[in-house]
Amino acid sequence: MDNTLQRMKELTEKLDKAAKAYYQEDREIMSNLEYDRLYDELAALEQETGTVLANSPTIRVGYESLEQLPKEAHESPMLSLDKTKDREVLREFIGSHKTLLSWKLDGLTIVLTYEKGELAKAVTRGNGVIGEVITNNARVFKNIPLRIPYKGRLVLRGEAIITYSDFERINESIEDVDAKYKNPRNLCSGSVRQLNNEITAKRNVRFYAFSLVSTQPMPDAGGTVQIVSPADSAQTVDFHNSREEQFVWLKKQGFDVVEYRVVTGETLDDAMEYFSTAVAANDFPSDGLVALYDDIAYGESLGTTAKFPRNAFAFKWADEMRETHLLEIEWSPSRTGLINPVAIFEPVELEGTTVSRASVHNVSILKELKLGIGDTIKVYKANMIIPQIAENLTKSGNLTIPDKCPVCGQEARIRCENEVESLYCMNPGCAAKKIKAFTLFTSRDAMNIDGLSEATLEKFIGKGFIHDFGDIFEIAKHRDEIVTMEGFGEKSFENLMTSLEKAKDTTLARVIYSLGIANIGLSNAKVICRYFDDDLEKIRQANEEEVSSIEGIGPVIAKSLVDYFRIEENNRKLDHLMSHLRLHREESSGEQVFAGLTFVITGSVEHFANRSEVKSYIEARGGKVTGSVTKKTNYLINNDTTSSSAKNKKARELEIPILSEEDFLKLEYEKGGLKNAD
């Protein structure tokens, strides 16, 4: 029993880490196949022992969403579905009941609320209890109706997806091979949760309804339900106790509803034949099917388990497997020093394409699989997209993990973090690590150079094209070699040249920020440059006392700035950079009504494109924006002024006003009026 419980704890911990990476961080550290295998093993052990651990994934749903968007509790919990890969298990569930068999779409589940015929709210699934409010983004989904005929209150659920064709279109527009998205689900998740819905709109996100949660008449101002005329569709809707009737009604309201077939256990095979044939040609991602009882009352009478509703069941496709032989392990360095193992194997056909490589993720997985050159391995595509190693049949374990970095040739060492072993380059001067500084330099708030992604910078640094920031503006000398590189060509090279020419026109504040001086963000850089009247030589010669005397600039920032310019090599590199630039003064946006005020911005915004635009707006009017709430903060901007987020709690503790965007704009008007009165 002790060994069994220990195994259950191990399985729970592994599944917990994998679920956290998948739901909260949009990355995969374990294949779907491996996750399902371990999950089934844990469920079997729980049934055998009668014990369920408190943090078991068999009773927990998902993970709490990130704090990048306002959060809100769902009116009713969103549970996962029990699942099987066995058709007979599915047939047993269906039995003689009329059942709707539909696609299990692979995207992001969204809950929509309509009131008085208007889209009022959209919330992600989140952890099933609390989700993220993404209303502003849902309004630009490709096929969501913003107004519907029904004038009552409607709550429905569906899946937001990005089609394969749009996924490929977006990836084709990204010239850097290494910067392309891995699969439609991750692209969709990031698109739905953007802070700027202009980006969401360009991604062509689509919504397919799969469940009607509730309909009810809207109460009047006094809170009572109004008596409506028969012609008014705000009256209660009779769905005749049928889920299919709900689907038909949703279609009439203007929603795209997930495709389905009506089946019983006897007619299941014909429907399964249709779906299994159609899945290969579908333009949308699907990882299986969902069976839902049509009889609403019967389904609801069955209730739920701690995790699953009993009126629905999921069927997952069996993954197409191929045997092949491992040829080598390629060790791929990253900007963080992490060196990732990639399996190279004899090419095989999977899901209609030829594959020959798969990420092994880390040294722990490499060791667990006991990989060795020449081993016979089974490979598959997770969700028909991502190549993975499912199993090693021969397990020779003859691999030697390198002790030298493939980029710089210096020491590489295995480090264990959170019980996961990974290989790292230990050389702080490794070219692969330089990417961090250059990535900041080319970023939007710094020099804003399009066409130089992290992956492209890594390639240029690895080839010796770039040693300091000024070299970026001399990249044309390597034209002949660049146009022959993978992911490049004449057009992409010319686009890069255009971007570099545009980036030469900039401000001193952007230059100072782009240097990556410790503790100096763009806001601080603007304050410093404004104080020294955009005179670079005055900034170089300034002492700590003078800099720290600037309003909003303390001794820590002052020391960082002065220390940076004390190093002759830094000045030499800056001179090289400045020889390519054309500086102009920061544009002023009127009176400095926020001078001396410090703001923190959190949550989503609606009157501005994104939080960066709010930040620029404040700074142009003399204010300062920081990332955390402290006693020096004057105002916290958050449209969800009543939320219990960490920043809201901190602001309340310090008695700092929490402003919505409307409050903020009103504050600007009031302060502008006060200044004029003065």
Side-chain angles (χ1 to χ4, degrees), residues 126-140:
N127 66 355
V129 178
I130 297 174
E132 295 171 305
V133 180
I134 50 98
T135 311
N136 204 36
N137 292 338
R139 295 184 192 281
V140 297

Side-chain angles (χ1 to χ4, degrees), residues 15-34:
L15 292 167
D16 180 73
K17 289 178 180 177
K20 182 177 181 180
Y22 184 79
Y23 286 109
Q24 193 169 356
E25 301 166 5
D26 291 328
R27 62 187 181 92
E28 294 182 17
I29 61 173
M30 180 186 294
S31 68
N32 287 348
L33 190 76
E34 179 70 1

Side-chain angles (χ1 to χ4, degrees), residues 322-325 369-371 375-379 389-396:
R322 291 287 183 270
E323 282 189 17
T324 184
H325 296 95
L369 287 169
K370 296 181 181 178
L371 289 175
D375 277 349
T376 301
I377 58 176
K378 281 188 173 182
V379 295
I389 297 177
E391 187 180 359
N392 182 6
L393 301 178
T394 47
K395 300 183 178 179
S396 69

Side-chain angles (χ1 to χ4, degrees), residues 317-540:
W317 304 113
D319 297 291
E320 183 181 359
M321 294 275 189
R322 291 287 183 270
E323 282 189 17
T324 184
H325 296 95
L326 184 66
L327 301 177
E328 65 173 304
I329 292 291
E330 179 183 285
W331 294 91
S332 177
S334 72
R335 63 187 180 280
T336 62
L338 177 65
I339 306 175
N340 296 298
V342 179
I344 311 299
F345 44 82
E346 292 176 352
V348 291
E349 289 291 320
L350 281 175
E351 312 291 354
T353 62
T354 302
V355 295
S356 60
R357 54 195 292 129
S359 174
V360 187
H361 302 297
N362 54 56
V363 173
S364 289
I365 294 177
L366 193 84
K367 289 181 176 180
E368 188 174 342
L369 287 169
K370 296 181 181 178
L371 289 175
I373 304 305
D375 277 349
T376 301
I377 58 176
K378 281 188 173 182
V379 295
Y380 74 106
K381 277 188 177 180
N383 290 339
M384 303 183 181
I385 297 290
I386 308 169
Q388 301 278 349
I389 297 177
E391 187 180 359
N392 182 6
L393 301 178
T394 47
K395 300 183 178 179
S396 69
N398 63 25
L399 284 176
T400 299
I401 298 171
D403 58 3
K404 298 281 191 269
C405 171
V407 171
C408 68
Q410 299 298 307
E411 179 189 9
R413 187 188 306 167
I414 293 176
R415 287 180 4 203
C416 187
E417 296 179 0
N418 298 321
E419 299 181 16
V420 175
E421 288 186 312
S422 301
L423 186 65
Y424 284 87
C425 172
M426 306 309 294
N427 174 20
C430 177
K433 294 183 180 181
K434 291 181 181 179
I435 187 67
K436 183 176 181 180
F438 285 99
T439 300
L440 171 65
F441 180 82
T442 60
S443 66
R444 183 179 61 183
D445 286 342
M447 300 304 291
N448 193 22
I449 303 174
D450 290 330
L452 281 181
S453 68
E454 292 180 358
T456 299
L457 285 165
E458 284 186 69
K459 291 176 183 177
F460 287 179
I461 292 169
K463 288 183 173 292
F465 297 165
I466 300 173
H467 300 282
D468 63 42
F469 298 141
D471 290 337
I472 291 177
F473 293 94
E474 298 172 4
I475 205 73
K477 66 175 70 172
H478 304 287
R479 177 190 176 283
D480 291 345
E481 191 170 353
I482 290 173
V483 295
T484 63
M485 291 170 58
E486 184 179 8
F488 268 87
E490 293 286 351
K491 182 179 178 181
S492 55
F493 180 80
E494 291 304 322
N495 288 340
L496 176 57
M497 291 301 100
T498 300
S499 180
L500 286 171
E501 187 61 31
K502 182 179 178 181
K504 290 179 180 179
D505 290 300
T506 188
T507 64
L508 183 59
R510 282 179 173 268
V511 174
I512 296 296
Y513 169 62
S514 74
L515 299 177
I517 303 172
N519 305 307
I520 297 182
L522 181 57
S523 177
N524 291 326
K526 288 181 178 179
V527 172
I528 292 167
C529 291
R530 192 179 299 128
Y531 179 85
F532 287 104
D533 198 29
D534 282 328
D535 189 325
L536 177 58
E537 291 311 309
K538 287 182 180 179
I539 295 174
R540 290 202 215 217

Side-chain angles (χ1 to χ4, degrees), residues 1-15 30 34-46 48-49 51 53 56-57 368:
M1 181 68 172
D2 288 345
N3 289 339
T4 302
L5 283 174
Q6 182 58 36
R7 178 58 177 164
M8 289 168 67
K9 290 177 181 177
E10 291 173 359
L11 290 169
T12 296
E13 187 174 353
K14 283 186 177 181
L15 292 167
M30 180 186 294
E34 179 70 1
Y35 185 92
D36 289 344
R37 184 182 70 78
L38 296 180
Y39 183 98
D40 291 343
E41 181 185 349
L42 176 60
L45 291 175
E46 289 176 345
E48 175 189 325
T49 61
T51 301
L53 301 174
S56 171
E368 188 174 342

